[in-house]
Amino acid sequence: MALGALPDYPWDQMEPYAATARAHPGGIVDLSIGSPVDPTPELVRSALAAATDAHAYPLTAGSVPLRTAIVSWWERRRGVTGLTEANVLPTIGSKEFVAWLPFMLGLGDGDVVVHPLAAYPTYAIGAQLAGATAVAADDPESWPTDTKLVWLNSPGNPDGRVLSVAELQAAVARARSLGAVIVGDECYAELGWDGPWANSPVPSLLEPRVTGGDLTGVLAAYSLSKQSNLAGYRAAFAAGDAALISRLLTVRKHAGMIPPAPVQAAMVAALGDDAHVAAQKELYRARRSVLRPALEAAGLRIDRSEAGLYLWATEGRDGWETIGRLASLGILAGPGHFYGSSYPGHVRFSLTATDERIAAAASRLSESSNDR
């Protein structure tokens, strides 16, 4: 596909199914998009309001309190030690960072951007915007020799897969052997559910036990959209190799990619408070405990999904057929086709619906199970 000839936005294909779901007598249960429905924490909203006298241009690098808060968060929550203010950079949400990183790194024709087999589609779009080539591959040994950028996503969207420390180590070693930058998209890291992640933090690509204490060529991205219900604030940040952060900062200064000052103040408040994050996780845990057994009873198998904001499921047929069956129940999910060609039989269910809507979905799935 030529540079500039971007594909149609995939979610536009969902409109007929959404119309069917909206026509259900009990209304639609929209589990298709991971957009938070719970209130933004009051301490964050208060911090934003107190900072609205923002008459001066904010710093692209982030205010000193924000950079300090980001450094502290990485150490306290993710076990990443040794960072300084030169290792961190706020972004206007994480999607713009994903989409523009290949361009900001100077990639172009002949360069390869690797991303997971089950992948957030913006990884491939970002490669295209830079004129590079996107390749889907999970096995580091299969990464092409002309790879210049590798995206890891742990916990994964859509599949909830968590990469172990050993897997992260192998990925870093392979990327370095290729001379490629490797980036961990870790936006769902606070949401571990099953296996070792039920009681232990999800590993970060930036941890010393992964990098050996050397951040050269390594970056990670994180978003406050999920943990703090700040999707509308567009509040995220990157961290890692100071030389790469410096390059990105220079590009962003030229391009005017600056998080607004009130948002920066809100980020400081969110990063400094762990209680609201724990409370939000329990809301998602409760919804997950209702939705998962209902899906399984309705004939769907849940794969991976050990962490993150989604349940990755299949009933053994094409995902569009499943999407159609669910729409007839007034339930909207996301087809696996949107996340690459490797999982056409899967669908993605988001936990971002109210308790009442999750309960409604479970009830409808139960009724459909009784009719099978």
Side-chain angles (χ1 to χ4, degrees), residues 23 77 88 177 195 208 223 231 233-234 249 273 279 317 343 348 369:
R77 302 299 301 177
V88 301
S177 74
S223 169
Y233 283 49
R234 312 312 299 135
L249 175 58
D273 180 75
R317 56 177 171 169
Y343 298 93
R348 190 194 76 170
S369 302

Side-chain angles (χ1 to χ4, degrees), residues 59-302:
L59 292 174
T60 307
S63 67
V64 172
L66 176 55
R67 282 176 278 167
T68 300
I70 294 172
V71 169
S72 176
W73 180 88
W74 277 107
E75 181 168 4
R76 186 179 76 254
R77 302 299 301 177
R78 307 303 312 284
V80 179
T81 57
L83 297 182
T84 71
E85 292 181 9
N87 297 108
V88 301
L89 180 67
T91 62
I92 311 167
S94 58
K95 184 172 184 176
E96 62 91 343
F97 180 77
V98 172
W100 291 108
L101 184 61
F103 174 82
M104 291 190 289
L105 291 176
L107 273 59
D109 186 43
D111 296 330
V112 169
V113 176
V114 169
H115 60 73
L117 289 174
Y120 183 50
T122 307
Y123 302 134
I125 293 296
Q128 187 181 341
L129 288 171
T133 300
V135 171
D138 286 339
D139 180 5
E141 293 307 312
S142 70
W143 296 346
T145 56
D146 47 1
T147 298
K148 294 297 185 291
L149 173 63
V150 175
W151 283 105
L152 302 181
N153 185 202
S154 176
N157 172 15
D159 61 356
R161 176 189 180 193
V162 175
L163 298 175
S164 68
V165 170
E167 288 173 313
L168 294 174
Q169 290 170 335
V172 169
R174 173 63 172 163
R176 285 176 168 166
S177 74
L178 296 170
V181 173
I182 186 166
V183 189
D185 179 348
E186 303 180 354
C187 293
Y188 303 92
E190 291 280 5
L191 301 174
W193 309 116
D194 297 334
W197 322 121
N199 300 303
S200 299
V202 169
S204 172
L205 188 66
L206 298 184
E207 288 183 47
R209 58 181 175 164
V210 172
T211 65
D214 178 8
L215 292 176
T216 303
V218 183
L219 295 170
Y222 192 75
S223 169
L224 299 182
S225 294
K226 277 63 179 178
Q227 73 155 50
S228 301
N229 298 323
L230 294 187
Y233 283 49
R234 312 312 299 135
F237 49 89
D241 183 342
L244 290 175
I245 292 292
S246 177
R247 176 188 174 91
L248 299 178
L249 175 58
T250 298
V251 173
R252 298 176 73 84
K253 284 179 177 178
H254 283 295
M257 301 169 78
I258 314 171
V263 172
Q264 293 192 32
M267 291 174 69
V268 173
L271 288 166
D273 180 75
D274 296 339
H276 79 274
V277 181
Q280 186 61 47
K281 182 175 181 178
E282 291 311 305
L283 288 177
Y284 286 135
R285 187 193 304 278
R287 292 164 186 167
R288 187 175 184 271
S289 70
V290 171
L291 184 60
R292 178 168 187 156
L295 291 171
E296 292 173 328
L300 287 100
R301 184 187 75 233
I302 308 298

